[in-house]
Amino acid sequence: MSAPPPRSTAEDPNATSSSSSFTFPPEYSFPPFFTRQTNLTTHHAQLTKWASLVLAYCRHHRIFKLSLSGDPTTTTTTSSSSSETTGGDGGEAAGPDTTELFYNRRINRRLSLADIREVIDFLRRDGRAEYVTTAKGGSAEGGGSGGGGDVAWIYWRTPEEWASLVEGWVDATGQRGSVLTVYELVEGEGTRGSEFHGLDQELLLKALNVLVKRGKAQIFGHEDSLGVKFF
Amino acid sequence: MGNSSSRITAQDQAILDLKTQRDKLHQYQRRITHLTDRETQAARQLLARGDKPRALLALRRKKYQESLLAKTDAQLEQLEKLTASVEFALIQKDVLFGLQQGTNVLKEIQAEMGGIENVEKLMGETAEAIAYQQEVSEIIGGRISVQEEEEVEDELAALEAEVAKKEAAVQRLPSVPDTQLPVQKVAEEERHPRPAAKKAQAERQAMLA
């Protein structure tokens, strides 16, 4: 977790923080926070603080997939205008440049990729993160579920918690026995105002599968047109 | 996808197909809206550069996109109406099924009762039984035997004797005295206490001191 060579903010187009509304904790401005602590107790405290910072940051920006390298194109968020302006099919859009999460320009300190992975692994053990896996079963950038890829799910709400929210909405709106499309749940007018409106479709499917296991829902249809019936 | 013991019907699949089509139209509308915004922006930029013919072309394209948008709006309305009709028809089907079940249960209960004739016959028999019972009650209640009459008279005599005894006990009480109490004397003594009383009071005060 050593400091990188000094980099001028003038050559950086994103020098001004995109998250002016997000308040970083005081330790974020403390250089040793970006350096791996050798003392076990201190290291555990450091990991705990980093984990809570990652969760808070992702919750604030509604980031569901986090690129460990900080590439904004692989980070999925839901901003109110993103899907409208891009004309995209899903709720996925280029999110904020997450390099600012692991790189503090003001004190010129960066968390190394190995240490970022350690934070993600720490979150994984707590059930708050998971490496994004490809259809073949490996992780997005190789290395399996343990080794970790380059993109990770950040569960500031676990699929079980999202499932409970969806179930609550189904009960409140009298949708039991109804057939709804996954797109409708994420982008529909009916869910506007609910917390899962604009949720990443893959994450919604994870949540719906929790309800399927509980016998509260059934997913059917084809890959491009999935529907769900609630019981 | 989903459970092996599928609870998904053909109607559910049909509704999903309709809703999927609706979603695709929504996405198409979103794309068209984005394109019209882009064409407007392009027209503005071209006009700023003084390229009027191309600006006009961009606005024509925008107009065409808007006409497509109007068409998709009409199609969306049709789809949504159809979806709502199918969903409501399914609810009606469930209601009718419920009514059918209720009717069947009622018929079964009525069959167990044996029909209207059986009910009328039963009611007639019940009325006859009630009338017979009333007749029996009247016969029993209307006649009292000689022995019972004597017992009633004996009980009355015993009650009379009891009342007479109570009256005699009341008469034996002492009479109330009619002499007046000496009220004035007591009042005077209170006003002018005797010397002995005064002395006793003084002693009591000395002890207290």
Short mmCIF file of all heavy atoms in Angstrom, two decimals, chain A residues 39 54 146:
data_model
loop_
_atom_site.label_atom_id
_atom_site.label_comp_id
_atom_site.label_asym_id
_atom_site.label_seq_id
_atom_site.Cartn_x
_atom_site.Cartn_y
_atom_site.Cartn_z
N ASN A 39 0.77 -4.88 11.99
CA ASN A 39 0.20 -5.37 13.24
C ASN A 39 -1.19 -5.96 12.96
O ASN A 39 -2.03 -5.30 12.33
CB ASN A 39 0.10 -4.21 14.25
CG ASN A 39 -0.50 -4.65 15.57
OD1 ASN A 39 -1.69 -4.88 15.65
ND2 ASN A 39 0.34 -4.74 16.59
N VAL A 54 -16.23 1.20 1.64
CA VAL A 54 -16.65 0.68 0.33
C VAL A 54 -18.18 0.53 0.29
O VAL A 54 -18.82 0.96 -0.67
CB VAL A 54 -15.95 -0.67 0.01
CG1 VAL A 54 -16.58 -1.35 -1.19
CG2 VAL A 54 -14.46 -0.45 -0.23
N GLY A 146 -12.56 -17.66 -5.52
CA GLY A 146 -11.68 -17.32 -4.41
C GLY A 146 -10.61 -16.34 -4.82
O GLY A 146 -10.33 -15.37 -4.14
#
